[in-house]
Coordinates of all heavy atoms in Angstrom, one line a residue:
Chain A
D66 N -9.3 -7.7 -21.2 CA -8.7 -8.8 -22.0 C -9.5 -10.0 -21.9 O -9.9 -10.4 -20.8 CB -7.2 -9.0 -21.7 CG -6.6 -9.9 -22.7 OD1 -6.6 -9.4 -23.9 OD2 -6.1 -11.0 -22.4
N67 N -9.7 -10.6 -23.1 CA -10.5 -12.0 -23.1 C -11.8 -11.8 -22.5 O -12.4 -12.7 -22.1 CB -9.7 -13.0 -22.3 CG -10.2 -14.5 -22.6 OD1 -10.9 -14.7 -23.6 ND2 -9.8 -15.3 -21.7
V115 N -22.2 -27.7 -22.5 CA -22.0 -27.8 -21.0 C -23.0 -27.1 -20.2 O -23.4 -27.4 -19.1 CB -20.5 -27.3 -20.7 CG1 -20.4 -27.2 -19.2 CG2 -19.5 -28.2 -21.3
Y116 N -23.5 -25.9 -20.8 CA -24.4 -25.0 -20.0 C -25.9 -25.2 -20.2 O -26.6 -24.8 -19.3 CB -23.9 -23.6 -20.3 CG -22.6 -23.2 -19.8 CD1 -21.5 -23.2 -20.6 CD2 -22.3 -22.9 -18.5 CE1 -20.2 -22.9 -20.2 CE2 -21.1 -22.5 -18.0 CZ -20.0 -22.6 -18.9 OH -18.8 -22.2 -18.5
Y143 N -18.3 -14.7 -28.6 CA -17.5 -13.7 -29.3 C -18.3 -12.9 -30.2 O -19.0 -13.4 -31.2 CB -16.3 -14.3 -30.2 CG -15.3 -13.5 -30.5 CD1 -14.2 -13.3 -29.6 CD2 -15.1 -12.8 -31.7 CE1 -13.1 -12.4 -29.9 CE2 -14.1 -12.0 -32.1 CZ -13.1 -11.8 -31.0 OH -12.0 -11.0 -31.5
R150 N -25.6 -3.7 -16.9 CA -26.6 -3.3 -15.8 C -25.9 -3.4 -14.4 O -24.8 -4.0 -14.3 CB -27.7 -4.4 -15.8 CG -27.4 -5.8 -15.4 CD -28.6 -6.6 -15.0 NE -28.2 -8.0 -14.8 CZ -27.9 -8.6 -13.6 NH1 -27.8 -7.8 -12.6 NH2 -27.7 -9.9 -13.6
N152 N -26.6 -4.2 -10.1 CA -27.1 -5.5 -9.5 C -28.5 -5.8 -9.8 O -29.0 -6.9 -9.9 CB -26.8 -5.5 -8.0 CG -25.4 -5.7 -7.7 OD1 -24.6 -6.0 -8.5 ND2 -25.0 -5.6 -6.4
Q168 N -13.0 -15.4 -24.9 CA -13.7 -16.7 -24.7 C -15.2 -16.5 -24.1 O -15.4 -15.6 -23.3 CB -12.9 -17.4 -23.4 CG -13.5 -18.7 -23.1 CD -13.5 -19.8 -24.2 OE1 -12.5 -20.0 -24.9 NE2 -14.6 -20.4 -24.3
A169 N -16.1 -17.3 -24.7 CA -17.5 -17.0 -24.4 C -17.8 -17.2 -22.9 O -17.5 -18.2 -22.3 CB -18.3 -18.1 -25.2
D172 N -21.4 -18.0 -18.4 CA -22.0 -17.9 -17.1 C -22.9 -16.5 -17.1 O -23.7 -16.3 -16.2 CB -21.2 -17.9 -16.0 CG -20.0 -17.0 -16.0 OD1 -19.9 -16.2 -17.0 OD2 -19.2 -16.9 -15.1
N176 N -28.3 -13.8 -17.7 CA -28.0 -12.7 -16.7 C -28.0 -11.3 -17.2 O -27.9 -10.3 -16.4 CB -26.7 -13.0 -15.9 CG -26.8 -14.1 -14.8 OD1 -27.6 -13.9 -13.8 ND2 -26.2 -15.3 -15.0
V177 N -27.9 -11.2 -18.5 CA -27.8 -9.9 -19.2 C -28.7 -10.0 -20.4 O -28.8 -11.1 -21.0 CB -26.3 -9.6 -19.6 CG1 -26.3 -8.1 -20.0 CG2 -25.3 -10.0 -18.6
I187 N -15.4 -6.2 -35.8 CA -15.0 -6.6 -34.4 C -13.5 -6.5 -34.1 O -13.2 -6.1 -32.9 CB -15.4 -8.1 -34.1 CG1 -15.2 -8.5 -32.6 CG2 -14.7 -9.1 -35.0 CD1 -16.3 -8.2 -31.7
S191 N -11.5 -5.5 -30.8 CA -10.8 -6.5 -30.0 C -9.3 -6.2 -30.0 O -8.5 -6.7 -29.2 CB -10.9 -7.9 -30.7 OG -10.5 -7.8 -32.1
S192 N -8.8 -5.3 -30.9 CA -7.3 -4.9 -30.9 C -7.1 -3.6 -30.0 O -6.0 -3.1 -30.2 CB -6.9 -4.8 -32.3 OG -7.6 -3.8 -32.9
R249 N -13.4 -31.8 -40.0 CA -12.6 -31.0 -40.8 C -11.9 -32.0 -41.7 O -11.2 -32.9 -41.3 CB -11.5 -30.4 -39.9 CG -12.1 -29.4 -38.9 CD -12.7 -28.1 -39.5 NE -11.8 -27.4 -40.3 CZ -11.3 -26.2 -39.8 NH1 -11.7 -25.8 -38.6 NH2 -10.4 -25.6 -40.4
W253 N -4.7 -31.0 -43.6 CA -3.8 -30.6 -42.4 C -4.3 -31.4 -41.2 O -3.4 -31.7 -40.4 CB -3.9 -29.1 -42.2 CG -3.1 -28.6 -41.0 CD1 -1.8 -28.2 -41.2 CD2 -3.4 -28.5 -39.7 NE1 -1.3 -27.9 -39.9 CE2 -2.3 -28.1 -39.0 CE3 -4.6 -28.8 -39.0 CZ2 -2.3 -27.8 -37.7 CZ3 -4.6 -28.6 -37.6 CH2 -3.4 -28.0 -37.0
H255 N -5.0 -34.1 -38.6 CA -4.6 -35.4 -38.2 C -5.9 -36.1 -37.6 O -6.2 -37.3 -37.9 CB -3.5 -35.3 -37.3 CG -3.0 -36.6 -36.7 ND1 -2.6 -37.7 -37.6 CD2 -3.0 -37.0 -35.4 CE1 -2.4 -38.6 -36.7 NE2 -2.4 -38.3 -35.5
V256 N -6.5 -35.5 -36.6 CA -7.7 -36.0 -35.9 C -8.9 -35.1 -36.2 O -8.9 -34.0 -35.6 CB -7.4 -36.1 -34.5 CG1 -8.6 -36.7 -33.7 CG2 -6.1 -36.9 -34.1
R260 N -16.9 -33.5 -33.6 CA -17.8 -32.9 -32.7 C -17.7 -31.3 -32.8 O -16.6 -30.9 -33.3 CB -17.4 -33.2 -31.2 CG -17.5 -34.7 -31.0 CD -17.3 -35.1 -29.6 NE -18.3 -34.7 -28.8 CZ -19.5 -35.3 -28.6 NH1 -19.7 -36.4 -29.3 NH2 -20.4 -34.9 -27.8
E262 N -18.7 -27.4 -30.9 CA -19.4 -26.6 -29.9 C -19.9 -25.3 -30.6 O -19.4 -24.8 -31.5 CB -18.3 -26.1 -28.8 CG -18.8 -25.7 -27.5 CD -17.7 -25.7 -26.5 OE1 -16.6 -26.1 -26.7 OE2 -18.1 -25.0 -25.5
V264 N -20.0 -22.2 -30.0 CA -19.2 -21.0 -30.1 C -18.1 -21.2 -31.2 O -17.5 -20.2 -31.5 CB -18.5 -20.7 -28.8 CG1 -19.6 -20.3 -27.7 CG2 -17.7 -21.9 -28.3
N265 N -17.9 -22.3 -31.8 CA -16.9 -22.5 -32.7 C -17.5 -22.6 -34.1 O -16.7 -23.0 -35.1 CB -16.1 -23.8 -32.5 CG -15.1 -23.7 -31.2 OD1 -15.2 -24.4 -30.3 ND2 -14.3 -22.6 -31.3
Chain B
D66 N -7.7 -12.5 -35.9 CA -8.7 -12.1 -34.8 C -9.4 -13.3 -34.4 O -9.8 -14.2 -35.1 CB -9.7 -11.1 -35.5 CG -10.5 -10.5 -34.3 OD1 -10.0 -10.0 -33.4 OD2 -11.8 -10.7 -34.4
N67 N -9.6 -13.4 -33.1 CA -10.3 -14.5 -32.4 C -9.6 -15.8 -32.6 O -10.2 -16.9 -32.6 CB -11.8 -14.6 -32.9 CG -12.7 -15.4 -31.9 OD1 -12.4 -15.6 -30.8 ND2 -13.8 -15.8 -32.5
V115 N -17.7 -30.8 -24.5 CA -18.3 -31.2 -25.8 C -17.2 -32.1 -26.6 O -17.7 -33.0 -27.4 CB -18.6 -30.0 -26.6 CG1 -19.0 -30.4 -28.1 CG2 -19.9 -29.3 -26.0
Y116 N -16.0 -32.0 -26.4 CA -14.9 -32.5 -27.2 C -14.3 -33.8 -26.6 O -13.8 -34.6 -27.5 CB -13.9 -31.5 -27.7 CG -14.3 -30.3 -28.5 CD1 -14.7 -29.1 -27.9 CD2 -14.5 -30.6 -29.8 CE1 -15.2 -28.1 -28.7 CE2 -15.0 -29.5 -30.6 CZ -15.3 -28.3 -30.0 OH -15.8 -27.3 -30.9
Y143 N -7.5 -20.1 -24.6 CA -6.9 -18.7 -24.6 C -5.6 -18.8 -23.8 O -5.5 -19.3 -22.7 CB -7.8 -17.8 -23.8 CG -7.6 -16.4 -24.1 CD1 -8.2 -15.8 -25.2 CD2 -6.8 -15.6 -23.3 CE1 -7.9 -14.4 -25.5 CE2 -6.6 -14.2 -23.4 CZ -7.1 -13.6 -24.6 OH -6.9 -12.4 -24.9
R150 N 2.8 -26.1 -37.7 CA 3.2 -27.2 -38.5 C 2.6 -27.1 -39.9 O 1.6 -26.5 -40.1 CB 3.1 -28.6 -37.9 CG 1.6 -29.0 -37.8 CD 1.4 -30.5 -37.5 NE 0.1 -30.9 -37.2 CZ -0.8 -31.2 -38.2 NH1 -0.5 -31.2 -39.5 NH2 -2.1 -31.5 -37.8
N152 N 1.3 -29.8 -43.3 CA 0.4 -30.9 -43.3 C 1.0 -32.2 -42.6 O 0.3 -32.8 -41.9 CB 0.0 -31.3 -44.7 CG -1.0 -30.2 -45.3 OD1 -1.4 -29.3 -44.5 ND2 -1.3 -30.3 -46.5
Q168 N -11.5 -17.4 -28.9 CA -12.3 -18.6 -28.5 C -11.5 -19.8 -28.6 O -10.9 -20.0 -29.7 CB -13.5 -18.6 -29.4 CG -14.5 -19.7 -29.2 CD -15.1 -19.8 -27.8 OE1 -15.6 -18.7 -27.4 NE2 -15.1 -20.9 -27.1
A169 N -11.5 -20.8 -27.7 CA -10.7 -22.0 -27.6 C -11.1 -22.7 -29.0 O -12.2 -23.2 -29.2 CB -11.2 -22.8 -26.5
D172 N -10.9 -27.9 -31.9 CA -10.7 -28.8 -32.9 C -9.2 -28.9 -33.3 O -8.9 -29.9 -34.0 CB -11.5 -28.5 -34.2 CG -11.2 -27.1 -34.7 OD1 -10.5 -26.4 -34.1 OD2 -11.9 -26.8 -35.8
N176 N -4.1 -32.2 -32.6 CA -3.6 -31.9 -34.0 C -2.3 -31.1 -34.0 O -1.7 -30.9 -35.0 CB -4.5 -31.1 -34.8 CG -5.7 -32.1 -35.4 OD1 -5.4 -32.9 -36.2 ND2 -6.9 -32.0 -34.9
V177 N -2.0 -30.5 -32.9 CA -0.8 -29.6 -32.8 C -0.1 -29.9 -31.5 O -0.8 -30.2 -30.4 CB -1.1 -28.1 -32.9 CG1 0.2 -27.3 -33.1 CG2 -2.1 -27.8 -33.9
I187 N -0.3 -11.6 -22.0 CA -1.1 -12.0 -23.2 C -1.7 -10.8 -23.8 O -1.9 -10.8 -25.0 CB -2.2 -13.1 -22.7 CG1 -3.0 -13.5 -24.1 CG2 -3.1 -12.6 -21.8 CD1 -2.4 -14.7 -24.8
S191 N -2.7 -10.0 -27.6 CA -4.1 -9.9 -28.1 C -4.5 -8.6 -28.6 O -5.6 -8.5 -29.2 CB -5.1 -10.4 -26.9 OG -4.8 -9.5 -25.8
S192 N -3.8 -7.5 -28.2 CA -4.2 -6.2 -28.6 C -3.4 -5.7 -29.9 O -3.6 -4.6 -30.3 CB -3.9 -5.2 -27.5 OG -2.7 -5.1 -27.1
R249 N -21.8 -18.7 -9.1 CA -21.3 -17.3 -8.9 C -22.2 -16.8 -7.7 O -23.5 -16.7 -8.0 CB -21.5 -16.5 -10.2 CG -20.5 -17.1 -11.2 CD -19.1 -16.8 -11.0 NE -18.7 -15.5 -10.9 CZ -18.1 -14.8 -11.9 NH1 -17.9 -15.3 -13.0 NH2 -17.8 -13.6 -11.6
E252 N -23.6 -10.9 -5.8 CA -25.0 -10.3 -5.7 C -25.6 -10.1 -7.2 O -26.7 -10.2 -7.5 CB -25.1 -9.0 -4.8 CG -26.5 -8.7 -4.6 CD -26.5 -7.3 -3.9 OE1 -25.6 -6.8 -3.3 OE2 -27.6 -6.6 -3.7
W253 N -24.6 -9.8 -8.0 CA -24.9 -9.2 -9.4 C -25.6 -10.4 -10.2 O -26.5 -10.3 -11.0 CB -23.7 -8.9 -10.2 CG -24.0 -8.3 -11.5 CD1 -24.3 -7.1 -12.0 CD2 -24.0 -9.1 -12.8 NE1 -24.5 -7.0 -13.3 CE2 -24.3 -8.2 -13.9 CE3 -23.8 -10.5 -13.1 CZ2 -24.4 -8.7 -15.1 CZ3 -23.9 -11.0 -14.4 CH2 -24.3 -10.0 -15.4
H255 N -28.0 -13.1 -11.3 CA -29.5 -13.4 -11.3 C -29.6 -15.0 -11.3 O -30.3 -15.5 -10.5 CB -30.2 -12.8 -12.4 CG -31.6 -13.1 -12.5 ND1 -32.6 -12.9 -11.6 CD2 -32.3 -13.7 -13.6 CE1 -33.7 -13.2 -11.9 NE2 -33.6 -13.7 -13.2
V256 N -29.0 -15.6 -12.2 CA -29.0 -17.0 -12.4 C -27.6 -17.5 -12.4 O -26.8 -17.5 -13.2 CB -29.6 -17.5 -13.9 CG1 -29.6 -18.9 -14.0 CG2 -30.8 -16.8 -14.2
R260 N -22.7 -24.6 -13.4 CA -21.9 -25.5 -14.3 C -20.7 -24.6 -14.8 O -20.8 -23.4 -14.8 CB -22.8 -25.8 -15.6 CG -24.1 -26.6 -15.2 CD -24.9 -27.1 -16.4 NE -24.2 -28.1 -17.1 CZ -24.1 -29.4 -16.8 NH1 -24.7 -29.8 -15.7 NH2 -23.5 -30.3 -17.5
E262 N -17.3 -24.8 -17.9 CA -16.6 -25.3 -18.9 C -15.1 -25.0 -18.6 O -14.8 -24.0 -18.0 CB -17.0 -24.6 -20.1 CG -16.7 -25.5 -21.3 CD -17.4 -24.8 -22.6 OE1 -18.3 -24.0 -22.5 OE2 -16.9 -25.2 -23.7
V264 N -12.6 -24.1 -20.2 CA -12.0 -22.7 -20.7 C -12.4 -21.5 -20.0 O -11.9 -20.5 -20.2 CB -12.4 -22.6 -22.3 CG1 -11.8 -23.7 -23.1 CG2 -13.9 -22.6 -22.4
N265 N -13.3 -21.6 -19.1 CA -13.9 -20.6 -18.2 C -13.2 -20.5 -16.9 O -13.7 -19.8 -16.0 CB -15.3 -20.5 -18.2 CG -15.9 -20.1 -19.6 OD1 -16.8 -20.8 -20.1 ND2 -15.5 -19.0 -20.1

Side-chain angles (χ1 to χ4, degrees):
Chain A
D66 193 57
N67 194 19
V115 170
Y116 292 96
Y143 202 83
R150 65 165 173 88
N152 285 352
Q168 177 65 46
D172 56 358
N176 276 298
V177 193
I187 183 89
S191 58
S192 62
R249 299 293 295 259
W253 184 89
H255 172 59
V256 182
R260 306 183 66 79
E262 202 170 343
V264 294
N265 290 122
Chain B
D66 193 58
N67 195 19
V115 171
Y116 293 96
Y143 201 83
R150 65 165 173 88
N152 285 352
Q168 177 65 46
D172 55 358
N176 277 296
V177 194
I187 183 89
S191 58
S192 61
R249 299 294 295 260
E252 190 185 347
W253 185 88
H255 172 61
V256 182
R260 305 182 67 78
E262 202 169 344
V264 294
N265 290 123

